[in-house]
Amino acid sequence: MTERPMSADEAETAARMFKALGDPVRLRLFSAVASHEGGEACVCDISDVGVSQPTVSHHLKKLKEAGLLTSERRGTWVYYRVEPAVLAAMGRLLVGSSAGALT
Amino acid sequence: MTERPMSADEAETAARMFKALGDPVRLRLFSAVASHEGGEACVCDISDVGVSQPTVSHHLKKLKEAGLLTSERRGTWVYYRVEPAVLAAMGRLLVGSSAGALT
């Protein structure tokens, strides 16, 4: 990112991910999944963000659609986990920008 | 972030930054500043994103308000640069999440 500006296509994909994290409740739910034991959680594991279970489900689906979480149904529940490769790429993008700014 | 879920206050601040990057045009402008020589740019340096100069100015102001850019007026132009500490923190947050998911 510090080498050249992003293309329109790259920006479309990355902006969709950043936008998904641009809501405080959604970001806390993302954080709850990431910090849960084993890096995965179902709606049944998340109760302390102060929103209803249908709202939790809605936000987790949005995070999945943005490519930030993957999901797997096991019995009654859908389990979500963070998508490591995508997050690492987003992180590098930001860290790379900050490193570039220091040079 | 992998140690414990984010608090409501932490999520408010971080979500504001992610939201600011959640627009493809704004993300490209951010990228244009980060990749410009010396890590800083004024509106006069940015012409290839396909939006008008007032639109560029508007988006750069929004990025500044979110804490992602700092600015300094020199003569006619306001120069923007990326805020390295903030970006590094956001990057670590994402990379930390991805590392947690791999353990």
Side-chain angles (χ1 to χ4, degrees):
Chain A
M1 186 169 182
T2 53
E3 300 293 319
R4 58 170 182 81
M6 295 179 103
S7 71
D9 280 354
E10 289 168 334
E12 281 287 341
T13 305
R16 194 162 55 236
M17 293 179 187
F18 284 123
K19 189 176 181 182
L21 296 177
D23 173 273
V25 169
R26 206 176 291 154
L27 186 55
R28 288 186 73 196
L29 291 172
F30 173 80
S31 163
V33 171
S35 62
H36 200 259
E37 201 183 325
E40 75 167 14
C42 72
V43 174
C44 58
D45 293 318
I46 299 170
S47 58
D48 53 357
V49 176
V51 293
S52 69
Q53 221 170 66
T55 302
V56 172
S57 288
H58 168 78
H59 282 305
L60 292 179
K61 266 184 211 158
K62 290 284 173 190
L63 289 165
K64 184 188 172 186
E65 283 165 17
L68 293 164
L69 296 179
T70 56
S71 73
E72 185 191 347
R73 177 174 285 280
R74 294 205 293 274
T76 310
W77 298 103
V78 178
Y79 287 80
Y80 290 90
R81 56 170 53 244
V82 296
E83 183 54 79
V86 170
L87 291 183
M90 288 174 79
R92 278 196 303 272
L93 187 145
L94 292 170
V95 172
S97 302
S98 62
L102 289 169
T103 58
Chain B
M1 183 167 184
T2 52
E3 300 293 318
R4 59 171 181 81
M6 296 178 102
S7 71
D9 281 354
E10 288 167 336
E12 281 288 341
T13 305
R16 196 163 55 239
M17 294 179 184
F18 285 123
K19 190 176 180 181
L21 296 176
D23 174 273
V25 170
R26 205 175 293 154
L27 186 56
R28 287 186 73 196
L29 292 171
F30 173 81
S31 164
V33 172
S35 62
H36 200 260
E37 201 182 326
E40 73 168 16
C42 73
V43 174
C44 58
D45 294 318
I46 299 171
S47 58
D48 53 356
V49 177
V51 292
S52 69
Q53 221 171 64
T55 302
V56 172
S57 289
H58 167 78
H59 283 305
L60 292 179
K61 266 184 212 158
K62 290 284 173 189
L63 288 166
K64 185 187 170 187
E65 285 166 16
L68 293 164
L69 297 178
T70 56
S71 73
E72 185 190 349
R73 178 174 285 279
R74 293 205 294 274
T76 309
W77 300 103
V78 178
Y79 287 80
Y80 290 90
R81 57 169 53 243
V82 297
E83 184 53 79
V86 171
L87 290 183
M90 287 176 79
R92 278 196 303 272
L93 188 145
L94 292 172
V95 172
S97 302
S98 63
L102 290 169
T103 56

